[in-house]
Amino acid sequence: MVELAINSNISEARRRLFGTRDMDLLSRPILETPNVRGRGAATNDSGRFEPHKREMFADGWEPEPDAVFETREHIERAKSIITKNVSPDIGFDRSINPYRGCEHGCSYCFARPTHAYLGHSAGIDFERDIYVKVNAAELLRAELANPRYRPKPIAIGTNTDPYQPLERKYKIMRSVLKVLLEAKHPVTVVTKSALIVRDLDILTKLNKLGLVSVGISVTSMDHKLSRFMEPRASTPSRRLEAIKLLSESGIPTRIMAAPTIPAVNDHELERILDAGKAQGATTASMILLRLPGEVRDIFREWLLKTYPDKVKHVMNLVRDYRNGSDNDPRFGTRFTGEGPYAVLMQQRFDKAIGRLGLDEQMSPLRCDLFVHPQKETAQLSLF
């Protein structure tokens, strides 16, 4: 009877800590090997389209040291490079993603579920199996050379980061920017990497023609928290330094408090905006945490490892602004949320950007300068 009472008390304590809807976390195996250091995800479940499912279990043996968590590069020759969309709640209709997967390893990354289409897990596979589109610039030139092409700003960095670590080696983003400059094509860039300053020469030339704007995401000013959330991204101080260098070059730069995570980094909202303004940012944006598909479990596992006492509180707040669910995919609310918490955060954001002068809209990028680039061909010209 005493043992039953103890077990009952433990179960009740767990329910209070995690909440009924998150109790399943206790049964999910979390990787605790040294190999997983530097990765945001804690597990590597099979992709949802795979015929067989991998499942970890304790067999009593210690894990053998291996290179399973080292980054694996996959060279990909893509068939097309400009992706079109018709979403009513984002401000662009076309984008480019030089890489598939992202080594930054952000535990909350909404792009993780896309790796399932490649036969990979949205967990650690998303961070270690990186597909490099080595023919991106070649394809871009061909698509822009099409006489029927009509220019509108191309967004880069909306799915995976174009300046993730492998960019140092392959320079795919730099080659894409060179083609855009040649064609005088407008482009917007979003990143959380200080590597963007490497391409300051090209970005400056684009800016002189009114063809570029940049957004730098700063999730936290706390270096320790940032390293937990985004293991291989640039430190907050390096990102702020990038904002300063971009701004000093006259490039319109946005400070992005994204994502804002309730009870984790939401208290830093004003501090992030203050820091961005001090470094020269001209405008700002904020996006509340989204948990589509497999991201829900990956983020909850991260919470369990990092802030086990906050799991119930954080997830309840997420459900508060997501219409009672872990995720709300509806157009119009998926980025802003709804309910008391979402209203409060929007009020804080509006007040802060008004005080700092970050509420100005960026000038529209020019599309009238566009010229079709010379298409690369083995055929010699007649003239």
Side-chain angles (χ1 to χ4, degrees), residues 263-280:
V264 174
N265 71 342
D266 55 355
H267 64 285
E268 296 189 73
L269 176 61
E270 290 81 2
R271 186 183 175 197
I272 291 171
L273 298 177
D274 282 338
K277 176 64 178 180
Q279 300 305 317

Side-chain angles (χ1 to χ4, degrees), residues 331-359:
F331 292 138
T333 61
R334 58 178 180 155
F335 291 121
T336 59
E338 58 185 3
Y341 180 85
V343 171
L344 174 62
M345 292 304 301
Q346 189 62 50
Q347 289 175 343
R348 286 177 55 189
F349 176 75
D350 290 341
K351 186 174 181 180
I353 63 173
R355 171 176 56 85
L356 296 168
L358 291 172
D359 51 353

Side-chain angles (χ1 to χ4, degrees), residues 298-330:
I298 293 168
F299 177 74
R300 291 192 311 153
E301 290 163 1
W302 177 84
L303 268 182
L304 180 60
K305 289 186 65 177
T306 313
Y307 297 111
D309 57 330
K310 289 187 177 183
V311 174
K312 180 179 179 181
H313 183 44
V314 172
M315 294 308 300
N316 281 346
L317 286 173
V318 169
R319 290 159 187 153
D320 177 63
Y321 67 79
R322 293 299 181 198
N323 197 32
S325 302
D326 294 317
N327 186 57
D328 180 6
R330 294 176 299 167

Side-chain angles (χ1 to χ4, degrees), residues 4 41 141 256 288 344 353 356:
L4 287 175
R141 177 182 293 277
M256 305 173 65
L288 294 177
L344 174 62
I353 63 173
L356 296 168

Side-chain angles (χ1 to χ4, degrees), residues 244-272:
K244 180 180 180 181
L245 293 173
L246 290 164
S247 300
E248 288 177 346
S249 298
I251 298 169
T253 307
R254 179 190 306 271
I255 176 73
M256 305 173 65
T260 298
I261 305 173
V264 174
N265 71 342
D266 55 355
H267 64 285
E268 296 189 73
L269 176 61
E270 290 81 2
R271 186 183 175 197
I272 291 171

Side-chain angles (χ1 to χ4, degrees), residues 281-293:
T282 55
T283 187
S285 63
M286 174 193 71
I287 298 178
L288 294 177
L289 174 71
R290 297 172 54 210
L291 299 175

Side-chain angles (χ1 to χ4, degrees), residues 9 24 28 30 56 80 91 95 122 129 132 139 148 161-162 164 178 225 262 282 287 302 305 307 317 322 328 331 361:
N9 290 337
D24 61 306
R28 292 180 63 81
I30 305 296
M56 294 186 300
S80 63
S95 61
D129 287 277
V132 184
L139 286 174
R148 292 176 294 178
D161 201 310
Q164 59 181 285
K178 286 181 178 179
L225 174 58
T282 55
I287 298 178
W302 177 84
K305 289 186 65 177
Y307 297 111
L317 286 173
R322 293 299 181 198
D328 180 6
F331 292 138
Q361 295 295 319

Side-chain angles (χ1 to χ4, degrees), residues 58-70:
D59 60 1
W61 293 93
E62 291 295 325
E64 296 182 9
D66 52 37
V68 69
F69 297 121
E70 291 183 0

